[in-house]
């Protein structure tokens, strides 16, 4: 079968939801007051600019789409700033969404991207405060059809990128360390399926992908930098092993895979 694979990612950026995805708020207005708090937005924009945006701009294969799903009620000045930042990355498509159920909004955003001419679609998840390696898209295009072919090309197949780095603050110092996860991490988790399949990578929790889909894990390529900070929605935790590498080797990997030296990876409060 001649597979014509379309690659689309999705990043949630201050997207307000109803239901229990983001608990702790009495009303949508309360949630949006939290999401659009100027100090919080400033931190999110800085993380996006330092980690997420460069990794999209520097992909060796620029032929992909990445949706930035933005809350429709974000103040105009912040929307304008976001649009200006993203203008230099043709792959980014900003889609605004009114408050709604989390997965419904994501599903609708993916549906806005035409699929004509493709037999399959590979969707991947990404967060605005993390980084993917510069060869991520090219490697995903190579791996996804091969992984799917093992269990039947018409069956949705998950791809996980288990090897990468965590970045966190300890005693006022930025620590970057390598880890290999036991279960799929969110950063770059992907799902290939026929275009007739209307769901996407956000259908189930990333840690549970191997429970519901055939799954393939890449433990050979350092694929991500996961940042730990005060605004993480989830409780960040490793499910695998922290690897022991000297800083010189970490620096070499970061330069080769992410185009930046170790010293460029700094914590942002």
């Amino acid at each position: 079968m001649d597979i014509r694979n379309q690659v689309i990612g999705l990043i949630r950026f201050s997207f307000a939801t109803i239901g229990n995805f983001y608990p702790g708020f009495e009303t949508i207005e309360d949630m949006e007051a939290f999401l659009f708090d100027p100090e919080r937005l400033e931190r999110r924009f800085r993380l996006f600019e330092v980690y997420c945006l460069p990794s999209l701009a520097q992909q060796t294969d620029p032929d992909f789409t990445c949706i930035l799903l933005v809350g429709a009620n974000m103040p105009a000045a912040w929307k304008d700033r976001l649009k200006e930042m993203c203008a230099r990355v043709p792959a980014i498509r900003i889609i605004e969404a009114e408050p709604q159920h989390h997965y419904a909004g994501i599903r609708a955003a993916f549906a806005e991207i035409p699929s004509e001419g493709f037999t399959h679609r590979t969707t991947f998840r990404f967060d605005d405060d993390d980084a993917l390696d510069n060869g991520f898209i090219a490697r995903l295009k190579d791996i996804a059809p091969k992984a799917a072919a093992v269990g039947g090309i018409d069956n949705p197949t998950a791809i996980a990128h288990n090897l990468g780095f965590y970045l966190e603050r300890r005693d006022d110092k930025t620590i970057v360390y390598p880890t290999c996860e036991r279960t799929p991490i969110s950063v770059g988790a992907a799902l290939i399926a026929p275009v007739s399949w209307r769901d996407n990578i956000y259908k189930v929790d990333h840690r549970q992908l191997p429970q519901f889909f055939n799954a393939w894990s890449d433990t050979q390529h350092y694929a991500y930098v996961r940042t730990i900070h005060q605004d993480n929605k989830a409780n960040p935790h490793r499910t695998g092993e922290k690897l022991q590498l000297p800083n010189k080797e970490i620096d070499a990997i970061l330069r080769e895979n992410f185009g930046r030296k170790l010293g460029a990876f700094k914590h942002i409060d």
Side-chain angles (χ1 to χ4, degrees):
M1 179 181 181
D2 180 24
I3 298 175
R4 298 181 298 282
N5 184 28
Q6 180 184 36
V7 175
I8 307 175
L10 185 141
I11 300 165
R12 299 157 297 182
F13 199 102
S14 298
F15 166 46
T17 62
I18 61 177
N20 61 2
F21 174 72
Y22 221 139
F25 299 98
E26 294 292 331
T27 66
I28 286 295
E29 290 74 19
D30 290 341
M31 182 185 295
E32 290 188 329
F34 165 76
L35 291 175
F36 304 145
D37 173 74
E39 290 186 3
R40 179 186 179 276
L41 280 177
E42 185 62 42
R43 292 193 299 271
R44 303 306 298 193
F45 270 73
R46 289 171 61 203
L47 285 162
F48 179 68
E49 188 174 27
V50 171
Y51 294 108
C52 179
L53 189 61
S55 70
L56 293 174
Q58 295 166 185
Q59 288 300 311
T60 58
D61 184 342
D63 185 18
F64 69 101
T65 299
C66 191
I67 297 166
L68 201 58
L69 185 58
V70 178
N73 296 324
M74 178 184 284
W78 292 99
K79 282 186 191 177
D80 291 342
R81 179 177 169 183
L82 191 61
K83 291 175 182 176
E84 183 178 354
M85 291 170 65
C86 295
R88 63 185 177 91
V89 187
I92 295 178
R93 165 88 178 269
I94 297 176
I95 294 179
E96 296 184 21
E98 297 290 340
Q100 57 192 286
H101 286 286
H102 176 252
Y103 187 61
I106 288 173
R107 203 166 182 257
F110 275 116
E112 287 196 29
I113 309 299
S115 61
E116 286 78 13
F118 296 97
T119 61
H120 289 72
R121 172 177 281 189
T122 297
T123 57
F124 69 91
R125 58 184 297 160
F126 193 21
D127 288 324
D128 58 9
D129 53 354
D130 298 327
L132 289 166
D133 77 283
N134 295 347
F136 174 81
I137 294 296
R139 194 168 60 255
L140 183 60
K141 286 184 178 182
D142 178 57
I143 291 172
K146 294 176 181 176
V150 174
I153 199 63
D154 289 332
N155 296 320
T157 301
I159 299 95
H161 309 273
N162 289 18
L163 188 64
F165 295 93
Y166 273 60
L167 182 153
E168 59 181 284
R169 171 67 62 84
R170 290 184 190 169
D171 300 325
D172 294 325
K173 295 181 180 179
T174 299
I175 306 297
V176 179
Y177 58 89
T179 183
C180 192
E181 294 282 353
R182 183 179 299 115
T183 58
I185 193 171
S186 62
V187 193
L191 196 68
I192 182 172
V195 293
S196 58
W197 195 69
R198 297 305 180 188
D199 285 299
N200 58 74
I201 184 58
Y202 284 90
K203 182 174 175 61
V204 301
D205 181 88
H206 54 91
R207 297 291 189 187
Q208 299 174 359
L209 286 168
Q211 179 181 349
F212 296 99
F213 303 102
N214 292 336
W216 189 89
S217 298
D218 183 350
T219 62
Q220 303 300 310
H221 298 90
Y222 284 91
Y224 63 85
V225 175
R226 171 83 165 99
T227 66
I228 310 300
H229 52 82
Q230 70 183 76
D231 292 316
N232 290 120
K233 176 188 176 294
N235 179 25
H237 64 283
R238 289 182 288 108
T239 63
E241 179 184 1
K242 179 180 176 181
L243 306 178
Q244 300 298 323
L245 291 179
N247 281 345
K248 183 177 181 180
E249 191 168 342
I250 292 174
D251 180 75
I253 295 169
L254 291 173
R255 288 174 185 266
E256 180 177 358
N257 289 24
F258 298 88
R260 284 181 281 176
K261 61 184 180 180
L262 178 58
F265 287 86
K266 54 187 177 180
H267 199 280
I268 296 177
D269 294 315

